[in-house]
């Protein structure tokens, strides 16, 4: 899986905003400092997040960003989609009969495609609230267990 900094940084910044925001707008400079992410990079990410309706911006002396929805209504998949971070495990472009190797589907195409679906399903089930509440460790209280993995 090729998860680049765009998706990781967007999720880190959104978790920070969920933790430190609320009714008060949080300046990107504060998030950039706490998360050690370039302010210019965060500005690009938050433009996309605002366009997707995940955050609202406020101008002025007390300006910054706040969540546009409750943190339990924003999934990691929502954030990654907003910043155009696909969850693709295969090397081919798209689903279907498109070829991976020399115009043909590779032998393991269905395996990687199914894994990508599981990852996308997991990311779609995890909300910002789940992250802040620490519900992602062993047992993940309340989140669906992957097949074949026993909860502790």
């Amino acid at each position: 899986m090729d998860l680049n900094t765009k998706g990781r940084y967007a999720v880190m910044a959104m978790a920070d905003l969920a933790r430190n925001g609320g009714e008060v707008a949080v300046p990107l400079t504060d998030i950039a400092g706490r998360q050690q992410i370039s302010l210019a990079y965060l500005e690009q990410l938050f433009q996309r997040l605002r366009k997707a309706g995940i955050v609202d911006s406020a101008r002025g002396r007390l300006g910054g960003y706040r969540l546009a929805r409750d943190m339990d209504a924003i999934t990691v998949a929502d954030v990654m989609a907003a910043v155009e971070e696909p969850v693709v495990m295969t090397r081919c472009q798209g689903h279907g009969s498109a070829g991976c190797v020399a115009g043909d589907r590779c032998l393991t195409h269905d395996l990687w495609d199914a894994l990508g679906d599981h990852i996308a399903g997991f990311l779609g089930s995890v909300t910002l609230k789940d992250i802040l509440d620490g519900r992602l460790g062993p047992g993940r209280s309340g989140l669906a267990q992957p097949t074949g993995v026993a909860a502790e």
Side-chain angles (χ1 to χ4, degrees):
M1 181 172 127
D2 185 26
L3 178 61
N4 65 36
T5 56
K6 201 172 8 175
R8 283 183 297 187
Y9 285 1
V11 173
M12 289 168 57
M14 288 297 294
D16 185 291
L17 179 62
R19 172 180 279 163
N20 296 296
E23 295 299 317
V24 178
V26 177
L28 285 185
T29 54
D30 292 357
I31 297 172
R34 284 190 294 265
Q35 299 303 316
Q36 299 180 352
I37 302 171
S38 157
L39 177 59
Y41 199 56
L42 277 182
E43 288 171 344
Q44 293 173 25
L45 295 176
F46 271 74
Q47 285 176 4
R48 292 178 179 190
L49 292 164
R50 188 177 56 75
K51 185 176 179 182
I54 295 176
V55 297
D56 290 324
S57 61
R59 294 179 181 253
R61 188 175 61 82
L62 300 175
Y65 287 89
R66 65 177 64 91
L67 299 178
R69 306 188 302 247
D70 289 337
M71 70 175 90
D72 60 354
I74 300 172
T75 67
V76 172
D78 294 336
V79 173
M80 292 179 63
V83 298
E84 300 171 2
E85 178 74 87
V87 178
V88 178
M89 299 299 296
T90 60
R91 358 188 254 197
C92 61
Q93 302 296 320
H95 292 280
S97 60
C100 303
V101 180
D104 293 325
R105 287 168 57 99
C106 67
L107 293 173
T108 56
H109 179 92
D110 292 338
L111 168 69
W112 304 125
D113 204 30
L115 178 58
D117 290 345
H118 281 282
I119 292 169
F122 172 72
L123 296 177
S125 73
V126 177
T127 66
L128 293 177
K129 183 158 178 40
D130 293 328
I131 293 169
L132 294 183
D133 289 349
R135 293 192 286 206
L136 300 174
R140 291 183 285 168
S141 35
L143 296 177
Q145 282 293 337
T147 304
V149 176
E152 294 181 4

